[in-house]
Amino acid sequence: MDPPTLLAVHGCWYPSADPTGDHVAYICDRTGVPQLWSGPARGGEAHILDADPDPVTEVLWSPDGRWIAYTTAPGGAEHTRVLVVRPDGTGRQVLAGAEPGSSAHLGCWTRDGAALAVTIAQPSAAAGAHSGAGHLPQDAGPPLPEGPPGESWTERGGRATLLDPLPDPARSVRPGAVFGAGPPLLAPTEGPGTSVRPGAATSGGLAAYLVDPDGTRAPVLLYSEAGAASLRVCDIGAEGRFALLRRGPRGRREAVLLDTASGRTTARLPVADGDPWIGRLSPDSRVLWLRSDADREFAALHRARLDQDGALQEWSVAAERRETELDLLSLPDHGRWALLAWNVQGASELESVALPAAPVNGPVGPSHTSSLPHEVVTRMAPVGRGGLFAALSGSRRRPGIWDLTGALAPVRTGWSASDEEAAPPGRPPVRPVPLRCRARDGLMLGGWYYRAPRRDPGGPAPCVIHLHGGPEEQERPVFNPLYHELLGRGMDVFAPDVRGSSGWGRSFVDADLGTGRFAAINDVADCAAHSVALGYADPLRLAVMGRSYGGYLTMACLVWHPELFRTGVAVCGMSDFATFFTGTEPWIAQSAAAKYGHPEHDRDLLRALSPMSRIDRLRAPVMAVHGEHDTNVPPTESEQFVRAARERGVPAELLTLRDEGHEFLRADNRRLYRRAAADWLEQHLGSAVPGMPAGDRRPG
């Protein structure tokens, strides 16, 4: 078999350093697929550790340096596996997720590196066997009172409830009042500490295990939950007595502190959505550091003081910034300092803060802020003995890994692509400008506007409104080859954060709950109108496009505002909430119900919000794109929308990408998707690049 061709234009991300800081494991797509690589931190050649074509999604080097754990997505799907491999590439083995229909997710290593925590998701026995209610239990609350769709959102008792109004941020939290010590959330399936076979979790549930990669000890069940929305082991204390878990649906995530010996939950604390690595225990397990937005608009660093039994004693804010979200939190094992990545309206500011040696109240110690060569920090990898590697991404640079050790300027690792390789010669990437606009109900929206570099200067340009997924994701100024493909064709791109997006406060995230989702659809139209009012966008050449939840919004906008957009491209979007809940993974359904509504109790609201319910209003040509192995949003969601459009005489196309799931991870498929979408948009909007032949419009 011939070795794969290595791409000069590539990205590197998700670093994890060995205990010495001399080598870094990371994900790189130099072969066209995100794979596991390792390279010397300062000079020298990198080498691939797993050449299989299954995309790699997460990496974690063991504290003792003997193993590298990582997650792969066979076929690009959501049914992932957890593997380990020796740093020299030998000893590779699958630890979890090999059973048909199951999935496994990476957790933390124990502090000594002797065992790895993994979460196993088992398929529901009833999956696909019913409709309407999807994968959710039928006893989730009383029926909705009668009334127009969605009016009872704040009144109903189901699992998908609106967050309580934000309390006064100055109010202190009394331990045990709102949260804290309490009865166990979850009952271990076979008892804590019991040796079990991985995969023995209740059908349709999630279970967390400790697995010995050397195979000298049987796996140990830590925790399990039937019908769980999420479960990840984020940390295990130095003595192994306490385990920190993240659980719960979107918008209601919790940190659960578990006494591993008794199985008792000693503390429960609310944490923020976003990055699943929510925090860590101090070396003596008497302080728990968490990224939380409890009782506040923006997530901050919180300190939870614990007694010797793990019960919550005090809860306070240790580090915060005004109207700024704590995006990422990372703490080395020694617990002397913490790394904080703050989200400043989409860009990152990186700060290291000293942590007190004793559990005391008040702010953390002195801090140091690092200057960054890219706009956004996507992952931080501290080294135990000192040092830091960080994955950075920017609007004009490919994702890369940088050495931020010491006070000197950041140093790019030798195996990260240089800035000059971000785009073909003569096509410098475009730096976006932040843009704010006001929705029709007065809510302020944000986003980033990209202006095509060679557009016709005599007037406004065709413009694509691009919508991110989630909806809790946030548009950030990172390198997006799709945007540069469109910009190279003379089309502007406006990428807004409509209500429901993160980064703008908890009230903004919650503003799309219930009937607020109708307002989110109107937000897209308001953003389009604002770009026209500024003179940027041609009102007769507007398109809408998005992925995942953005794909749903694309379909919704085409049927709610049928005269506004000339065309749309919906990628992996939901067209009908009833069929989505029936077909998605059970743990995804649990989380989605907290965001969109319960498929049984909120049936009328979800029907009213579904694009398929208004398909007769579709006028604009539409293209749908989907990965064939997507089990998050099944491909049938795109298929039924395209089929219905064609039945009504509306031009519609469906592009199905082979060996892809909900995320498009293979370079050849990403290129096919970008060019097919750009061709479709250019066909219906036209180009604003004067005199450029069609064959020259592609930036590569």
Side-chain angles (χ1 to χ4, degrees), residues 14 24-29 33-38 47-52 54-60 68-72 83-86 92:
Y14 218 110
V24 180
Y26 59 98
I27 301 174
C28 184
D29 60 359
V33 180
Q35 292 174 308
L36 179 65
W37 288 68
S38 177
H47 61 281
I48 194 168
L49 293 178
D50 186 344
D52 278 2
D54 294 337
V56 175
T57 59
E58 290 183 304
V59 181
L60 196 59
I68 300 171
Y70 58 108
T71 305
T72 66
L83 299 89
V84 292
V85 67
R86 299 283 189 186
R92 187 184 64 163

Side-chain angles (χ1 to χ4, degrees), residues 6-12 28-30 374 394-402 412-430 479-481 484 670-671 674 699-700:
L6 298 183
L7 305 176
V9 180
H10 63 274
C12 300
C28 184
D29 60 359
R30 292 189 69 184
H374 293 47
S395 59
R396 299 189 296 175
R397 296 175 172 91
R398 294 277 175 174
I401 297 172
W402 293 67
R412 186 203 314 271
T413 55
W415 15 268
S416 292
S418 68
D419 293 349
E420 293 73 23
E421 296 167 344
R427 300 281 183 85
V430 173
F479 187 82
N480 190 327
H484 296 292
R670 294 198 303 269
R671 187 180 306 110
R674 292 196 305 269

Side-chain angles (χ1 to χ4, degrees), residues 53-428:
D54 294 337
V56 175
T57 59
E58 290 183 304
V59 181
L60 196 59
W61 208 311
S62 66
D64 60 6
R66 298 188 308 117
W67 293 100
I68 300 171
Y70 58 108
T71 305
T72 66
E78 282 63 55
H79 290 171
T80 53
R81 297 177 176 178
V82 173
L83 299 89
V84 292
V85 67
R86 299 283 189 186
D88 62 0
T90 63
R92 187 184 64 163
Q93 56 180 302
V94 178
L95 290 190
E99 296 82 4
S102 70
S103 299
H105 308 280
L106 188 64
C108 67
W109 288 96
T110 55
R111 299 289 178 103
D112 60 2
L116 176 71
V118 297
T119 297
I120 297 177
Q122 292 288 51
S124 171
H130 50 280
S131 60
H135 295 299
L136 300 185
Q138 302 302 302
D139 59 350
L144 283 171
E146 294 185 2
E151 283 191 356
S152 56
W153 178 272
T154 58
E155 302 170 12
R156 63 116 196 280
R159 283 178 170 78
T161 55
L162 183 69
L163 280 176
D164 293 334
L166 289 177
D168 180 357
R171 180 178 66 83
S172 61
V173 179
R174 179 173 58 85
V178 180
F179 43 78
L185 277 176
L186 320 173
T189 307
E190 300 182 38
T194 305
S195 295
V196 295
R197 176 181 57 83
T202 304
S203 175
L206 299 177
Y209 296 88
L210 281 178
V211 181
D212 174 14
D214 293 312
T216 59
R217 292 173 294 178
V220 175
L221 177 65
L222 279 178
Y223 223 45
S224 68
E225 180 180 7
S230 66
L231 183 64
R232 184 187 290 253
V233 183
C234 296
D235 191 25
I236 296 173
E239 301 300 323
R241 180 182 175 187
F242 297 109
L244 172 65
L245 296 89
R246 171 186 178 265
R247 69 167 298 278
R250 291 148 63 174
R252 296 207 306 280
R253 307 290 192 192
E254 287 185 315
V256 176
L257 191 62
L258 174 72
D259 185 322
T260 60
S262 66
R264 187 173 64 92
T265 299
T266 65
R268 294 167 55 181
L269 303 162
V271 292
D273 277 341
D275 187 68
W277 301 103
I278 55 174
R280 297 201 77 187
L281 288 156
S282 63
D284 62 0
S285 296
R286 297 298 297 272
V287 177
L288 178 58
W289 301 97
L290 288 173
R291 183 179 59 85
S292 175
D293 58 0
D295 290 342
R296 52 190 304 114
E297 277 287 335
F298 294 90
L301 176 64
H302 282 69
R303 176 198 294 109
R305 292 187 58 192
L306 310 170
D307 67 14
Q308 61 182 2
D309 296 319
L312 181 66
Q313 297 297 296
E314 292 183 81
W315 170 255
S316 60
V317 174
E320 63 182 331
R321 291 193 181 186
R322 180 177 174 81
E323 296 187 356
T324 301
E325 187 98 355
L326 179 57
D327 199 27
L328 299 173
L329 168 64
S330 185
L331 294 89
D333 285 348
H334 56 65
R336 294 191 299 271
W337 44 268
L339 294 164
L340 313 177
W342 298 96
N343 182 337
V344 184
Q345 297 186 3
S348 296
E349 290 187 5
L350 183 60
E351 180 183 22
S352 60
V353 297
L355 301 180
V360 296
N361 289 327
V364 293
S367 66
H368 170 74
T369 301
S370 301
S371 60
L372 299 173
H374 293 47
E375 288 101 321
V376 179
V377 179
T378 62
R379 185 63 45 191
M380 300 180 292
V383 180
R385 63 171 57 177
L388 169 65
F389 295 90
L392 306 177
S393 188
S395 59
R396 299 189 296 175
R397 296 175 172 91
R398 294 277 175 174
I401 297 172
W402 293 67
D403 185 352
L404 274 63
T405 303
L408 299 178
V411 177
R412 186 203 314 271
T413 55
W415 15 268
S416 292
S418 68
D419 293 349
E420 293 73 23
E421 296 167 344
R427 300 281 183 85

Side-chain angles (χ1 to χ4, degrees), residues 466-497:
H466 188 275
L467 307 165
H468 62 68
E472 305 93 333
E473 293 176 17
Q474 181 187 10
E475 187 64 36
R476 310 193 70 172
V478 297
F479 187 82
N480 190 327
L482 169 67
Y483 294 174
H484 296 292
E485 180 86 39
L486 300 176
L487 294 165
R489 312 276 189 114
M491 292 175 271
D492 285 4
V493 176
F494 182 21
D497 288 322

Side-chain angles (χ1 to χ4, degrees), residues 8 51 150 272 675:
R675 292 184 173 177

